[in-house]
Amino acid sequence: MELSTFVVQVLNGLQYGMLLFLIASGLTLTFGVMGILNLAHGAFFMIGAYVAFHLMRFGGWSFPAAYAGAVIAVVLLGALVERSVLAPLAKRDHLDQVLVTYGLILIFDELAVIIWGKDVQPAEIPPLFQGSIQLSSMIVYPIYRLVLAGIGLAAAVGLYLIVAKTRLGMIIRAGSVDREMVRALGINVRPIFSLVFGLGAALAALAGIVAAPILSVSPGMGDKIIIVAFVVIVIGGIGSIKGAFVGALLVGLVDSFGKILFPAVSSLIMYALMAMVLIWRPQGIFGQPAR
């Protein structure tokens, strides 16, 4: 493999990995803190992309305003879903959560078809990030893909600072371990859990928004990528933000190089990686053993 090809595949893996991290971090944060297995997380990915597309194409909004508006809209939708549907399921079996959130997937996908139609909608790259950058005499790389990777890295740093360095993060970590003890200390965990769910929905929406120019916008666009996001959090360890970051990088790089080196079986390689990790550490790389 030539050096230029190797560098491009590393960049592709980093970009895809950071996109996966944006989705998986919200998913693992929600499960780690609230104990809710939310299959409908991919619907927030789709809705974020559709709302941003609609605001820019039909509302004439600038891309920063459309991006912010889409994230806010998904956070509000997430808050509604969390209070009305998911909160009553918090103490129910995970099978009940899977069935209900799978039903939400079907509802949101059908609503997307009703509102925006079945056609695939091409989303434009913001003018500021169009074009390519010359990385070397042999390597030219799209600016937007570098920006996407940078957004994912910034989100990872921001999440680390919030969870590890703030009082809110301390409460979140404590609530994920023993929520009854946190309540006994006089802390109302319900708004904390709603905030965590809203943050997870915001990350999924942001992922959908920035992925739209690459993947296009279509009904059900979050259904496939949420499966890969589950692979990421299983590899990294369910409930671990650090694990989601490492797992996303591993899956991104394995997927990128697999398409070049083993194109016939590239779609299977990430699942083989997951199987090997689970054989080595059933709880995932950074997951905590069941007690």
mmCIF file of all heavy atoms in Angstrom, residues 14-15 17-23 25 63 67 71 126 129 143-159 202-203 205-211 213-214 245:
data_model
loop_
_atom_site.group_PDB
_atom_site.id
_atom_site.type_symbol
_atom_site.label_atom_id
_atom_site.label_comp_id
_atom_site.label_asym_id
_atom_site.label_seq_id
_atom_site.Cartn_x
_atom_site.Cartn_y
_atom_site.Cartn_z
ATOM 1 N N LEU A 14 -10.554 8.109 10.652
ATOM 2 C CA LEU A 14 -10.732 9.094 11.717
ATOM 3 C C LEU A 14 -12.040 9.849 11.550
ATOM 4 O O LEU A 14 -12.793 10.038 12.523
ATOM 5 C CB LEU A 14 -9.560 10.079 11.711
ATOM 6 C CG LEU A 14 -9.623 11.225 12.725
ATOM 7 C CD1 LEU A 14 -9.602 10.687 14.149
ATOM 8 C CD2 LEU A 14 -8.460 12.200 12.509
ATOM 9 N N GLN A 15 -12.341 10.254 10.317
ATOM 10 C CA GLN A 15 -13.584 10.996 10.066
ATOM 11 C C GLN A 15 -14.811 10.147 10.365
ATOM 12 O O GLN A 15 -15.740 10.584 11.057
ATOM 13 C CB GLN A 15 -13.605 11.465 8.611
ATOM 14 C CG GLN A 15 -14.927 12.032 8.136
ATOM 15 C CD GLN A 15 -15.690 11.042 7.277
ATOM 16 O OE1 GLN A 15 -15.162 10.523 6.306
ATOM 17 N NE2 GLN A 15 -16.932 10.790 7.634
ATOM 18 N N GLY A 17 -14.897 7.452 12.249
ATOM 19 C CA GLY A 17 -14.892 7.145 13.670
ATOM 20 C C GLY A 17 -15.461 8.265 14.517
ATOM 21 O O GLY A 17 -16.209 8.029 15.463
ATOM 22 N N MET A 18 -15.132 9.515 14.177
ATOM 23 C CA MET A 18 -15.647 10.645 14.946
ATOM 24 C C MET A 18 -17.146 10.827 14.725
ATOM 25 O O MET A 18 -17.876 11.242 15.629
ATOM 26 C CB MET A 18 -14.897 11.920 14.581
ATOM 27 C CG MET A 18 -13.451 11.946 15.076
ATOM 28 S SD MET A 18 -13.316 11.793 16.885
ATOM 29 C CE MET A 18 -13.071 10.022 17.084
ATOM 30 N N LEU A 19 -17.621 10.503 13.530
ATOM 31 C CA LEU A 19 -19.067 10.527 13.290
ATOM 32 C C LEU A 19 -19.754 9.477 14.155
ATOM 33 O O LEU A 19 -20.778 9.746 14.795
ATOM 34 C CB LEU A 19 -19.353 10.272 11.815
ATOM 35 C CG LEU A 19 -20.833 10.136 11.429
ATOM 36 C CD1 LEU A 19 -21.581 11.432 11.706
ATOM 37 C CD2 LEU A 19 -20.962 9.742 9.956
ATOM 38 N N LEU A 20 -19.181 8.284 14.210
ATOM 39 C CA LEU A 20 -19.741 7.226 15.047
ATOM 40 C C LEU A 20 -19.690 7.607 16.518
ATOM 41 O O LEU A 20 -20.610 7.286 17.287
ATOM 42 C CB LEU A 20 -18.987 5.914 14.817
ATOM 43 C CG LEU A 20 -19.174 5.235 13.467
ATOM 44 C CD1 LEU A 20 -18.278 4.011 13.365
ATOM 45 C CD2 LEU A 20 -20.631 4.847 13.237
ATOM 46 N N PHE A 21 -18.629 8.294 16.918
ATOM 47 C CA PHE A 21 -18.523 8.694 18.324
ATOM 48 C C PHE A 21 -19.650 9.650 18.707
ATOM 49 O O PHE A 21 -20.200 9.549 19.805
ATOM 50 C CB PHE A 21 -17.171 9.352 18.592
ATOM 51 C CG PHE A 21 -17.082 9.959 19.966
ATOM 52 C CD1 PHE A 21 -16.940 9.160 21.082
ATOM 53 C CD2 PHE A 21 -17.173 11.333 20.149
ATOM 54 C CE1 PHE A 21 -16.882 9.710 22.361
ATOM 55 C CE2 PHE A 21 -17.114 11.889 21.408
ATOM 56 C CZ PHE A 21 -16.974 11.080 22.525
ATOM 57 N N LEU A 22 -19.984 10.587 17.818
ATOM 58 C CA LEU A 22 -21.064 11.520 18.127
ATOM 59 C C LEU A 22 -22.365 10.781 18.419
ATOM 60 O O LEU A 22 -23.121 11.153 19.321
ATOM 61 C CB LEU A 22 -21.274 12.487 16.958
ATOM 62 C CG LEU A 22 -20.221 13.588 16.768
ATOM 63 C CD1 LEU A 22 -20.485 14.350 15.479
ATOM 64 C CD2 LEU A 22 -20.204 14.531 17.951
ATOM 65 N N ILE A 23 -22.619 9.711 17.666
ATOM 66 C CA ILE A 23 -23.845 8.946 17.889
ATOM 67 C C ILE A 23 -23.701 8.043 19.115
ATOM 68 O O ILE A 23 -24.557 8.023 20.003
ATOM 69 C CB ILE A 23 -24.169 8.079 16.658
ATOM 70 C CG1 ILE A 23 -24.217 8.934 15.397
ATOM 71 C CG2 ILE A 23 -25.498 7.344 16.838
ATOM 72 C CD1 ILE A 23 -24.256 8.143 14.129
ATOM 73 N N SER A 25 -21.662 8.103 21.678
ATOM 74 C CA SER A 25 -21.470 8.727 22.992
ATOM 75 C C SER A 25 -22.809 9.064 23.641
ATOM 76 O O SER A 25 -23.010 8.821 24.838
ATOM 77 C CB SER A 25 -20.607 9.984 22.864
ATOM 78 O OG SER A 25 -21.202 10.925 21.979
ATOM 79 N N PHE A 63 -26.278 28.316 7.390
ATOM 80 C CA PHE A 63 -25.999 26.999 7.952
ATOM 81 C C PHE A 63 -25.743 27.022 9.464
ATOM 82 O O PHE A 63 -26.183 26.100 10.161
ATOM 83 C CB PHE A 63 -24.868 26.296 7.172
ATOM 84 C CG PHE A 63 -23.473 26.696 7.539
ATOM 85 C CD1 PHE A 63 -22.791 26.051 8.571
ATOM 86 C CD2 PHE A 63 -22.816 27.690 6.842
ATOM 87 C CE1 PHE A 63 -21.494 26.400 8.902
ATOM 88 C CE2 PHE A 63 -21.527 28.044 7.164
ATOM 89 C CZ PHE A 63 -20.860 27.406 8.200
ATOM 90 N N TYR A 67 -28.209 24.744 11.697
ATOM 91 C CA TYR A 67 -27.633 23.692 12.529
ATOM 92 C C TYR A 67 -28.089 23.851 13.984
ATOM 93 O O TYR A 67 -28.513 22.890 14.632
ATOM 94 C CB TYR A 67 -26.112 23.728 12.472
ATOM 95 C CG TYR A 67 -25.505 23.173 11.192
ATOM 96 C CD1 TYR A 67 -26.281 23.005 10.041
ATOM 97 C CD2 TYR A 67 -24.168 22.828 11.121
ATOM 98 C CE1 TYR A 67 -25.738 22.520 8.875
ATOM 99 C CE2 TYR A 67 -23.607 22.331 9.956
ATOM 100 C CZ TYR A 67 -24.393 22.182 8.832
ATOM 101 O OH TYR A 67 -23.850 21.692 7.670
ATOM 102 N N VAL A 71 -30.606 21.276 16.140
ATOM 103 C CA VAL A 71 -30.206 20.654 17.407
ATOM 104 C C VAL A 71 -31.219 20.985 18.502
ATOM 105 O O VAL A 71 -31.638 20.107 19.268
ATOM 106 C CB VAL A 71 -28.791 21.117 17.812
ATOM 107 C CG1 VAL A 71 -28.474 20.683 19.252
ATOM 108 C CG2 VAL A 71 -27.750 20.550 16.857
ATOM 109 N N PRO A 126 -21.670 23.213 3.481
ATOM 110 C CA PRO A 126 -21.625 24.666 3.694
ATOM 111 C C PRO A 126 -20.517 25.309 2.859
ATOM 112 O O PRO A 126 -19.413 24.753 2.749
ATOM 113 C CB PRO A 126 -21.330 24.784 5.193
ATOM 114 C CG PRO A 126 -21.881 23.528 5.786
ATOM 115 C CD PRO A 126 -21.652 22.467 4.753
ATOM 116 N N PHE A 129 -16.825 25.363 3.813
ATOM 117 C CA PHE A 129 -16.044 24.131 3.918
ATOM 118 C C PHE A 129 -16.001 23.337 2.621
ATOM 119 O O PHE A 129 -15.642 22.160 2.622
ATOM 120 C CB PHE A 129 -16.608 23.252 5.040
ATOM 121 C CG PHE A 129 -16.674 23.945 6.364
ATOM 122 C CD1 PHE A 129 -17.872 24.001 7.072
ATOM 123 C CD2 PHE A 129 -15.558 24.561 6.899
ATOM 124 C CE1 PHE A 129 -17.943 24.646 8.301
ATOM 125 C CE2 PHE A 129 -15.621 25.213 8.117
ATOM 126 C CZ PHE A 129 -16.813 25.259 8.820
ATOM 127 N N ILE A 143 -11.951 19.320 2.598
ATOM 128 C CA ILE A 143 -11.934 20.120 3.824
ATOM 129 C C ILE A 143 -13.058 19.682 4.760
ATOM 130 O O ILE A 143 -12.877 19.592 5.976
ATOM 131 C CB ILE A 143 -12.064 21.616 3.483
ATOM 132 C CG1 ILE A 143 -10.836 22.101 2.722
ATOM 133 C CG2 ILE A 143 -12.255 22.452 4.748
ATOM 134 C CD1 ILE A 143 -10.963 23.527 2.201
ATOM 135 N N TYR A 144 -14.230 19.396 4.192
ATOM 136 C CA TYR A 144 -15.390 19.104 5.034
ATOM 137 C C TYR A 144 -15.175 17.860 5.887
ATOM 138 O O TYR A 144 -15.608 17.806 7.035
ATOM 139 C CB TYR A 144 -16.639 18.928 4.174
ATOM 140 C CG TYR A 144 -17.900 18.796 5.001
ATOM 141 C CD1 TYR A 144 -18.444 19.900 5.648
ATOM 142 C CD2 TYR A 144 -18.534 17.564 5.154
ATOM 143 C CE1 TYR A 144 -19.579 19.790 6.433
ATOM 144 C CE2 TYR A 144 -19.679 17.440 5.921
ATOM 145 C CZ TYR A 144 -20.191 18.559 6.562
ATOM 146 O OH TYR A 144 -21.306 18.432 7.335
ATOM 147 N N ARG A 145 -14.500 16.859 5.342
ATOM 148 C CA ARG A 145 -14.260 15.642 6.109
ATOM 149 C C ARG A 145 -13.317 15.913 7.277
ATOM 150 O O ARG A 145 -13.456 15.324 8.351
ATOM 151 C CB ARG A 145 -13.714 14.541 5.203
ATOM 152 C CG ARG A 145 -14.761 13.987 4.229
ATOM 153 C CD ARG A 145 -14.197 12.893 3.355
ATOM 154 N NE ARG A 145 -15.207 12.351 2.460
ATOM 155 C CZ ARG A 145 -15.977 11.302 2.720
ATOM 156 N NH1 ARG A 145 -15.836 10.672 3.876
ATOM 157 N NH2 ARG A 145 -16.856 10.872 1.855
ATOM 158 N N LEU A 146 -12.356 16.804 7.073
ATOM 159 C CA LEU A 146 -11.476 17.197 8.178
ATOM 160 C C LEU A 146 -12.258 17.957 9.239
ATOM 161 O O LEU A 146 -12.032 17.780 10.441
ATOM 162 C CB LEU A 146 -10.326 18.050 7.649
ATOM 163 C CG LEU A 146 -9.312 17.346 6.732
ATOM 164 C CD1 LEU A 146 -8.305 18.365 6.192
ATOM 165 C CD2 LEU A 146 -8.593 16.232 7.472
ATOM 166 N N VAL A 147 -13.185 18.810 8.801
ATOM 167 C CA VAL A 147 -14.023 19.554 9.745
ATOM 168 C C VAL A 147 -14.883 18.597 10.554
ATOM 169 O O VAL A 147 -15.037 18.758 11.770
ATOM 170 C CB VAL A 147 -14.901 20.580 8.990
ATOM 171 C CG1 VAL A 147 -15.946 21.194 9.911
ATOM 172 C CG2 VAL A 147 -14.028 21.669 8.384
ATOM 173 N N LEU A 148 -15.431 17.586 9.889
ATOM 174 C CA LEU A 148 -16.271 16.606 10.590
ATOM 175 C C LEU A 148 -15.457 15.895 11.674
ATOM 176 O O LEU A 148 -15.925 15.728 12.805
ATOM 177 C CB LEU A 148 -16.825 15.601 9.577
ATOM 178 C CG LEU A 148 -18.028 14.750 10.006
ATOM 179 C CD1 LEU A 148 -18.749 14.206 8.771
ATOM 180 C CD2 LEU A 148 -17.626 13.587 10.890
ATOM 181 N N ALA A 149 -14.228 15.488 11.318
ATOM 182 C CA ALA A 149 -13.369 14.846 12.312
ATOM 183 C C ALA A 149 -13.073 15.798 13.464
ATOM 184 O O ALA A 149 -13.061 15.396 14.640
ATOM 185 C CB ALA A 149 -12.067 14.379 11.658
ATOM 186 N N GLY A 150 -12.858 17.074 13.145
ATOM 187 C CA GLY A 150 -12.587 18.061 14.186
ATOM 188 C C GLY A 150 -13.772 18.268 15.109
ATOM 189 O O GLY A 150 -13.603 18.434 16.334
ATOM 190 N N ILE A 151 -14.992 18.237 14.557
ATOM 191 C CA ILE A 151 -16.198 18.375 15.385
ATOM 192 C C ILE A 151 -16.300 17.208 16.361
ATOM 193 O O ILE A 151 -16.622 17.383 17.543
ATOM 194 C CB ILE A 151 -17.451 18.456 14.494
ATOM 195 C CG1 ILE A 151 -17.471 19.790 13.732
ATOM 196 C CG2 ILE A 151 -18.729 18.308 15.331
ATOM 197 C CD1 ILE A 151 -18.562 19.881 12.687
ATOM 198 N N GLY A 152 -16.015 16.003 15.878
ATOM 199 C CA GLY A 152 -16.058 14.843 16.752
ATOM 200 C C GLY A 152 -15.022 14.913 17.867
ATOM 201 O O GLY A 152 -15.313 14.592 19.028
ATOM 202 N N LEU A 153 -13.820 15.346 17.530
ATOM 203 C CA LEU A 153 -12.779 15.488 18.550
ATOM 204 C C LEU A 153 -13.152 16.554 19.572
ATOM 205 O O LEU A 153 -12.940 16.378 20.778
ATOM 206 C CB LEU A 153 -11.446 15.839 17.880
ATOM 207 C CG LEU A 153 -10.763 14.710 17.099
ATOM 208 C CD1 LEU A 153 -9.576 15.252 16.311
ATOM 209 C CD2 LEU A 153 -10.305 13.601 18.043
ATOM 210 N N ALA A 154 -13.711 17.664 19.093
ATOM 211 C CA ALA A 154 -14.138 18.733 20.013
ATOM 212 C C ALA A 154 -15.235 18.228 20.943
ATOM 213 O O ALA A 154 -15.247 18.550 22.143
ATOM 214 C CB ALA A 154 -14.619 19.943 19.215
ATOM 215 N N ALA A 155 -16.174 17.436 20.397
ATOM 216 C CA ALA A 155 -17.239 16.874 21.234
ATOM 217 C C ALA A 155 -16.663 15.926 22.284
ATOM 218 O O ALA A 155 -17.120 15.911 23.438
ATOM 219 C CB ALA A 155 -18.258 16.138 20.365
ATOM 220 N N ALA A 156 -15.652 15.145 21.902
ATOM 221 C CA ALA A 156 -15.032 14.219 22.848
ATOM 222 C C ALA A 156 -14.371 14.976 23.997
ATOM 223 O O ALA A 156 -14.526 14.615 25.170
ATOM 224 C CB ALA A 156 -14.005 13.345 22.130
ATOM 225 N N VAL A 157 -13.644 16.043 23.669
ATOM 226 C CA VAL A 157 -12.994 16.854 24.704
ATOM 227 C C VAL A 157 -14.041 17.507 25.602
ATOM 228 O O VAL A 157 -13.920 17.525 26.834
ATOM 229 C CB VAL A 157 -12.073 17.918 24.065
ATOM 230 C CG1 VAL A 157 -11.543 18.879 25.128
ATOM 231 C CG2 VAL A 157 -10.917 17.252 23.338
ATOM 232 N N GLY A 158 -15.103 18.051 24.982
ATOM 233 C CA GLY A 158 -16.159 18.702 25.754
ATOM 234 C C GLY A 158 -16.850 17.740 26.705
ATOM 235 O O GLY A 158 -17.092 18.065 27.871
ATOM 236 N N LEU A 159 -17.155 16.532 26.222
ATOM 237 C CA LEU A 159 -17.799 15.536 27.085
ATOM 238 C C LEU A 159 -16.886 15.130 28.237
ATOM 239 O O LEU A 159 -17.341 14.971 29.378
ATOM 240 C CB LEU A 159 -18.172 14.300 26.268
ATOM 241 C CG LEU A 159 -19.505 14.341 25.529
ATOM 242 C CD1 LEU A 159 -19.685 13.072 24.723
ATOM 243 C CD2 LEU A 159 -20.665 14.507 26.496
ATOM 244 N N ALA A 202 -28.992 15.665 21.426
ATOM 245 C CA ALA A 202 -28.279 16.739 20.733
ATOM 246 C C ALA A 202 -27.078 16.194 19.970
ATOM 247 O O ALA A 202 -26.805 16.612 18.827
ATOM 248 C CB ALA A 202 -27.838 17.805 21.739
ATOM 249 N N LEU A 203 -26.339 15.265 20.572
ATOM 250 C CA LEU A 203 -25.177 14.673 19.894
ATOM 251 C C LEU A 203 -25.610 13.871 18.672
ATOM 252 O O LEU A 203 -24.961 13.934 17.612
ATOM 253 C CB LEU A 203 -24.411 13.788 20.868
ATOM 254 C CG LEU A 203 -23.648 14.525 21.978
ATOM 255 C CD1 LEU A 203 -23.169 13.545 23.041
ATOM 256 C CD2 LEU A 203 -22.472 15.298 21.403
ATOM 257 N N ALA A 205 -28.359 14.408 16.899
ATOM 258 C CA ALA A 205 -28.797 15.384 15.902
ATOM 259 C C ALA A 205 -27.606 16.022 15.208
ATOM 260 O O ALA A 205 -27.595 16.184 13.978
ATOM 261 C CB ALA A 205 -29.653 16.460 16.563
ATOM 262 N N LEU A 206 -26.589 16.398 15.988
ATOM 263 C CA LEU A 206 -25.386 17.000 15.403
ATOM 264 C C LEU A 206 -24.719 16.028 14.434
ATOM 265 O O LEU A 206 -24.270 16.422 13.346
ATOM 266 C CB LEU A 206 -24.414 17.391 16.512
ATOM 267 C CG LEU A 206 -23.084 18.004 16.071
ATOM 268 C CD1 LEU A 206 -23.312 19.297 15.282
ATOM 269 C CD2 LEU A 206 -22.183 18.265 17.272
ATOM 270 N N ALA A 207 -24.672 14.742 14.809
ATOM 271 C CA ALA A 207 -24.094 13.734 13.916
ATOM 272 C C ALA A 207 -24.872 13.660 12.604
ATOM 273 O O ALA A 207 -24.278 13.597 11.515
ATOM 274 C CB ALA A 207 -24.079 12.373 14.606
ATOM 275 N N GLY A 208 -26.201 13.653 12.689
ATOM 276 C CA GLY A 208 -27.014 13.606 11.479
ATOM 277 C C GLY A 208 -26.826 14.833 10.603
ATOM 278 O O GLY A 208 -26.764 14.739 9.373
ATOM 279 N N ILE A 209 -26.708 16.001 11.239
ATOM 280 C CA ILE A 209 -26.545 17.248 10.494
ATOM 281 C C ILE A 209 -25.233 17.258 9.718
ATOM 282 O O ILE A 209 -25.199 17.570 8.527
ATOM 283 C CB ILE A 209 -26.612 18.451 11.463
ATOM 284 C CG1 ILE A 209 -28.021 18.591 12.034
ATOM 285 C CG2 ILE A 209 -26.207 19.741 10.770
ATOM 286 C CD1 ILE A 209 -28.086 19.496 13.243
ATOM 287 N N VAL A 210 -24.142 16.911 10.403
ATOM 288 C CA VAL A 210 -22.836 16.979 9.732
ATOM 289 C C VAL A 210 -22.638 15.824 8.766
ATOM 290 O O VAL A 210 -21.836 15.928 7.820
ATOM 291 C CB VAL A 210 -21.686 17.039 10.761
ATOM 292 C CG1 VAL A 210 -21.804 18.283 11.621
ATOM 293 C CG2 VAL A 210 -21.633 15.794 11.635
ATOM 294 N N ALA A 211 -23.367 14.702 8.975
ATOM 295 C CA ALA A 211 -23.240 13.569 8.059
ATOM 296 C C ALA A 211 -24.077 13.734 6.803
ATOM 297 O O ALA A 211 -23.804 13.083 5.785
ATOM 298 C CB ALA A 211 -23.643 12.278 8.766
ATOM 299 N N PRO A 213 -24.380 15.967 4.305
ATOM 300 C CA PRO A 213 -23.745 16.212 3.005
ATOM 301 C C PRO A 213 -22.979 15.011 2.456
ATOM 302 O O PRO A 213 -22.717 14.937 1.260
ATOM 303 C CB PRO A 213 -22.788 17.376 3.308
ATOM 304 C CG PRO A 213 -23.361 18.048 4.492
ATOM 305 C CD PRO A 213 -23.936 16.939 5.318
ATOM 306 N N ILE A 214 -22.599 14.079 3.328
ATOM 307 C CA ILE A 214 -21.866 12.893 2.888
ATOM 308 C C ILE A 214 -22.816 11.744 2.572
ATOM 309 O O ILE A 214 -22.668 11.048 1.562
ATOM 310 C CB ILE A 214 -20.853 12.464 3.966
ATOM 311 C CG1 ILE A 214 -19.816 13.566 4.187
ATOM 312 C CG2 ILE A 214 -20.163 11.155 3.580
ATOM 313 C CD1 ILE A 214 -18.868 13.300 5.330
ATOM 314 N N PHE A 245 -15.269 6.379 22.571
ATOM 315 C CA PHE A 245 -14.268 7.064 21.740
ATOM 316 C C PHE A 245 -13.297 6.054 21.131
ATOM 317 O O PHE A 245 -13.056 6.063 19.917
ATOM 318 C CB PHE A 245 -13.506 8.083 22.588
ATOM 319 C CG PHE A 245 -12.495 8.881 21.819
ATOM 320 C CD1 PHE A 245 -12.892 9.964 21.039
ATOM 321 C CD2 PHE A 245 -11.152 8.550 21.866
ATOM 322 C CE1 PHE A 245 -11.961 10.701 20.319
ATOM 323 C CE2 PHE A 245 -10.211 9.286 21.155
ATOM 324 C CZ PHE A 245 -10.615 10.362 20.378
#
